Amino acid sequence: MSESEEIIEPETLPLDGWHRARGARMVPFAGYEMPIQYEGILAEHEWTRSHAGLFDVSHMGQLEVSGEDATEALEALLPIDLSTLKPGRQRYSLLLDENGGVLDDLMVTNAGERFYLVVNGATKWDDIAHLREHLPDDITLNHLADDALLALQGPEAAEVLGQLGLEPANSGPRVADMAFMDAVEFGWNGVPLRVSRSGYTGEDGFEISVPADQAEALAEALCAQPEVKPIGLGARDSLRLEAGLPLYGHDLSPGTSPVEAGLTFGINKRRRSEGGFPGAERIQRELAEGTKRHWVGLALEGRMAAREGADVYAGDDKVGTVTSGGFSPTLGHPIAMAYVDAAHAGEGTALELEVRGKRLPARVVPTPFVPHRYHRKGAAK
Amino acid sequence: MTRYFTQDHEWIEVDGDTATVGITDYAQGQLGDIVFVEVPDAGASVTKGGDAAVVESVKAASDVYSPVTGTVTEGNPALADDPALVNTAPEGDGWFFKLTIADKGELDGLMDEAAYKAFCDTL
């Protein structure tokens, strides 16, 4: 048996003791000791798909951008159209370098007088340095390092959060009336919470920013309800893979453009035509002419999985590389995401993945592998 | 029959010149839910400390090494349909392969159950 682990000096998160008391196995990830699983990845995965799972994502970076010209300042760095992002709404966006490579993917919330950004844990210090360097001096960037972040995900999440008795802070909607990507500030027993109806599992659910010293009380109140169990990072990864969502550092990097990654929805219409963001020239060209490779979903036969780094073949020709892969608990077979040459990226294309010297048959399939169940505005329940 | 253990968390149960190999309860606990096991075919040659099988959890694939040199006589066919046997019965029905031992002297460096338990307590 062999297992390799990164050797780093991890920090502890606000809920560290709470996770350990609940039997979590802790592993180093993104510079922190993180819970990878409690009772087991399969059980936690299935619990989240059928009930409500509580994830600690406090390693992620929570940033606040404010100042009179914050809209223009952010638009100079992100391909987002903030004129169409209303107060109380959240949107997916990308931090790009001068070549249009992806420095990070992130969530942006318009909170009226300021913007909140949630960035990846592994990249947050680089993101903060990048933003400080490129934002004008009259724009304030705060790292909200004293806030924890919890994600409550699954079909019973809304009911559970609704039972907590949250009071909307600024005559905003109640929990039950929030739609996907709504962001509302609440009070909970006097504790301020920033709640968005979003997440990264493909399920309906919420991300909840809470002062770090109140995180344990909130986690305890949520897990006191029979619908909720704490879920580790292992199931978070298998859930996001089934949902066909990219993971930064694996599926996205400075070497990938958002167009080949299929993330053009993160580049809003006005910005596509006007440009004015880092790498705009390349991205506009790729939008017009297409890209040489595409990020695609692959379904494998059998049970042997292909993981990150596996080569993709069409006959004798290497045509791509797997960026994420594993066993899908919901589907009962392995799935993978890969960058594949455009000529072999069409739905239904038969390919082979090389794993430990063997060729595994695979087929290009549409993503998400498991349908999203977001609570979209106006959608039938 | 005598059971030995390796520092890589394999067990080997020896019966004369033949033996059965699997991974320990400690190892399956570390790996979590097992979803796939690749076992060697009958006739395959394995060497002490060399790759012999692969065990995959939801998250990762791990190599399983042979505790001794020898020739595989059988891979466990039950693991193809039910890889979770490695979780539920790691040191029983969840065995990986049987082999004919080439050199019984290679068993000398392995741990007995008490030594292995003491080893795990240090991890």
Side-chain angles (χ1 to χ4, degrees):
Chain A
M1 300 273 315
S2 70
E3 243 185 321
S4 60
E5 279 178 34
E6 278 181 63
I7 308 295
I8 47 173
E9 299 274 340
E11 294 182 52
T12 55
L13 290 169
L15 286 174
D16 190 84
W18 187 83
H19 295 308
R20 290 175 197 273
R22 285 179 165 262
R25 181 185 301 168
M26 306 295 283
V27 298
F29 179 81
Y32 295 92
E33 287 274 318
M34 299 280 288
I36 188 153
Q37 66 170 60
Y38 297 82
E39 58 180 311
I41 293 175
L42 291 178
E44 291 168 35
H45 183 111
E46 283 156 16
W47 185 268
T48 306
R49 286 264 183 257
S50 51
H51 302 284
L54 183 69
F55 302 77
D56 181 4
V57 287
S58 300
H59 64 302
M60 299 187 79
Q62 300 183 65
L63 312 177
E64 180 189 64
V65 177
S66 59
E68 205 178 328
D69 300 319
T71 298
E72 294 74 16
L74 277 178
E75 287 194 345
L77 296 179
L78 307 172
I80 193 170
D81 182 356
L82 293 173
S83 70
T84 58
L85 183 67
K86 295 180 179 143
R89 293 287 291 164
Q90 187 179 52
R91 188 175 289 165
Y92 180 83
S93 192
L94 299 150
L95 194 61
L96 301 169
D97 67 19
E98 286 304 315
N99 300 317
V102 182
L103 293 172
D104 201 2
D105 61 343
L106 69 164
M107 301 299 292
V108 181
T109 298
N110 180 349
E113 307 201 325
R114 60 182 69 87
F115 295 98
Y116 290 116
L117 276 49
V118 179
V119 303
N120 278 295
T123 50
K124 69 180 171 189
W125 300 112
D126 288 344
D127 291 355
I128 290 167
H130 179 90
L131 291 167
R132 286 233 159 95
E133 187 185 337
H134 290 96
L135 287 172
D137 292 343
D138 58 344
I139 299 298
T140 305
L141 174 70
N142 283 328
H143 178 203
L144 305 172
D146 294 330
D147 288 348
L149 190 66
L150 303 180
L152 185 70
Q153 302 281 296
E156 292 173 351
E159 190 186 336
V160 165
L161 196 61
Q163 285 165 358
L164 227 54
L166 304 187
E167 292 294 331
N170 307 311
S171 66
R174 307 191 69 81
V175 167
D177 299 324
M178 290 172 71
F180 184 55
M181 295 289 198
D182 275 347
V184 179
E185 296 186 18
F186 290 95
W188 171 63
N189 299 335
V191 177
L193 305 179
R194 293 197 308 276
V195 178
S196 59
R197 196 157 191 168
S198 57
Y200 222 57
T201 60
E203 291 293 328
D204 181 23
F206 301 84
E207 290 194 347
I208 309 162
S209 178
V210 54
D213 60 3
Q214 299 294 323
E216 191 165 321
L218 180 61
E220 203 56 40
L222 289 168
C223 286
Q225 305 191 54
E227 297 89 347
V228 183
K229 284 187 179 182
I231 308 295
L233 282 184
R236 185 172 174 81
D237 192 49
S238 53
L239 289 159
R240 74 93 200 161
L241 180 62
E242 287 183 347
L245 300 170
L247 184 61
Y248 194 81
H250 302 267
D251 307 290
L252 299 175
S253 73
T256 53
S257 92
V259 182
E260 60 188 11
L263 299 176
T264 48
F265 66 86
I267 305 164
N268 298 116
K269 192 177 169 190
R270 175 174 66 81
R271 306 305 306 280
R272 290 186 194 195
S273 54
E274 289 180 10
F277 54 86
E281 198 181 316
R282 171 189 174 182
I283 285 167
Q284 287 172 318
R285 189 181 65 240
E286 287 184 349
L287 284 168
E289 298 172 8
T291 56
K292 287 182 180 165
R293 55 176 199 163
H294 299 178
W295 196 55
V296 299
L298 296 168
L300 282 76
E301 295 170 13
R303 292 182 72 92
M304 188 164 147
R307 302 184 191 269
E308 184 176 359
D311 290 332
V312 181
Y313 283 89
D316 292 335
D317 299 328
K318 188 190 157 190
V319 298
T321 306
V322 169
T323 51
S324 279
F327 185 79
S328 162
T330 303
L331 301 175
H333 62 74
I335 54 176
M337 305 289 301
Y339 285 101
V340 171
D341 291 350
H344 300 283
E347 205 178 304
T349 304
L351 296 168
E352 289 182 318
L353 307 181
E354 187 165 291
V355 179
R356 298 188 292 272
K358 284 187 186 159
R359 294 285 184 89
L360 309 180
R363 198 164 34 84
V364 177
V365 296
T367 57
F369 299 96
V370 173
H372 294 161
R373 296 202 283 186
Y374 304 140
H375 186 74
R376 293 189 189 277
K377 204 170 264 176
K381 277 196 172 178
Chain B
M1 289 196 286
T2 315
R3 191 171 286 222
Y4 301 92
F5 297 84
T6 71
Q7 291 200 353
D8 295 318
H9 306 287
E10 291 95 12
W11 57 265
I12 176 167
E13 184 158 292
V14 180
D15 183 8
D17 289 336
T18 64
T20 306
V21 174
I23 67 169
T24 65
D25 186 52
Y26 176 89
Q28 71 78 22
Q30 291 294 309
L31 288 169
D33 300 312
I34 305 297
V35 294
F36 175 76
V37 182
E38 185 181 0
V39 296
D41 294 328
S45 296
V46 291
T47 54
K48 182 181 172 75
D51 295 347
V54 176
V55 59
E56 291 193 7
S57 66
V58 182
K59 281 291 287 175
S62 302
D63 291 326
V64 176
Y65 306 126
S66 183
V68 296
T69 302
T71 304
V72 173
T73 55
E74 184 186 8
N76 186 352
L79 296 182
D81 294 331
D82 189 8
L85 271 178
V86 179
N87 292 120
T88 55
E91 301 187 24
D93 291 344
W95 58 275
F96 278 43
F97 58 94
K98 296 178 187 290
L99 80 169
T100 307
I101 302 174
D103 174 8
K104 290 188 77 174
E106 287 182 349
L107 296 166
D108 290 348
L110 302 178
M111 291 177 277
D112 64 13
E113 187 158 8
Y116 177 69
K117 187 176 180 306
F119 169 72
C120 287
D121 288 343
T122 67
L123 299 177

